[in-house]
Amino acid sequence: QVRMVESGGGLVQAGDSLRLSCAASGRSFSTLTMAWFRQAPGKEREFVAAIRWSGDAYSYADSVKGRFTISRDNAENAEYLQMNSLKPEDTAVYYCAGGMGWPLLRRYQYAYWGQGTQVTVSS
């Protein structure tokens, strides 16, 4: 079993940056593909970015390419999402997720989830 806890969300202005963190517990973290999803009010939870267990492959949603960077530290059982040039449409609850295999772009492919952290971007 893997438990995940997100942190780093907050209220920022358009153009600002935030760095989200996901702290994971469990011995299998280094074998998991890790990802970030987000869910805005009234919308489906959507894929944001994923990183392979080895850290050498990435996938990003088109809406965040060039602005967001996903990374991980297997020694620390941690995952990160650096978000730059934030826009009001980035406002959502952000979730970290873990799953087996690569690539994993769908919500149902992830077995482990955090509780989410709120990111609000004002215009």
Side-chain angles (χ1 to χ4, degrees):
Q1 189 72 7
V2 180
R3 182 173 177 266
M4 300 179 183
V5 179
E6 302 93 337
S7 62
L11 172 63
V12 297
Q13 293 187 330
D16 285 350
S17 298
L18 272 179
R19 188 189 194 213
L20 304 183
S21 299
C22 175
S25 62
R27 296 171 58 185
S28 62
F29 176 84
S30 62
T31 67
L32 297 175
T33 286
M34 294 298 296
W36 290 93
F37 284 73
R38 66 185 181 186
Q39 188 166 16
K43 294 189 176 181
E44 295 284 323
R45 192 172 299 188
E46 65 175 2
F47 171 81
V48 175
I51 184 169
R52 192 159 60 181
W53 67 271
S54 54
D56 61 351
Y58 317 87
S59 182
Y60 292 94
D62 288 343
S63 58
V64 305
K65 279 182 182 176
R67 300 189 299 122
F68 291 11
T69 302
I70 190 171
S71 61
R72 68 189 296 162
D73 185 338
N74 286 345
E76 297 293 329
N77 277 14
E79 175 196 27
Y80 307 98
L81 186 68
Q82 177 66 41
M83 305 186 295
N84 299 329
S85 303
L86 282 161
K87 304 175 181 180
E89 51 264 43
D90 294 319
T91 295
V93 177
Y94 283 71
Y95 299 88
C96 66
M100 296 297 294
W102 180 264
L104 303 178
L105 306 180
R106 306 295 184 186
R107 179 179 177 179
Y108 72 86
Q109 295 175 306
Y110 288 87
Y112 306 110
W113 292 87
Q115 293 301 306
T117 185
Q118 177 71 47
V119 172
T120 303
V121 184
S122 64
S123 57

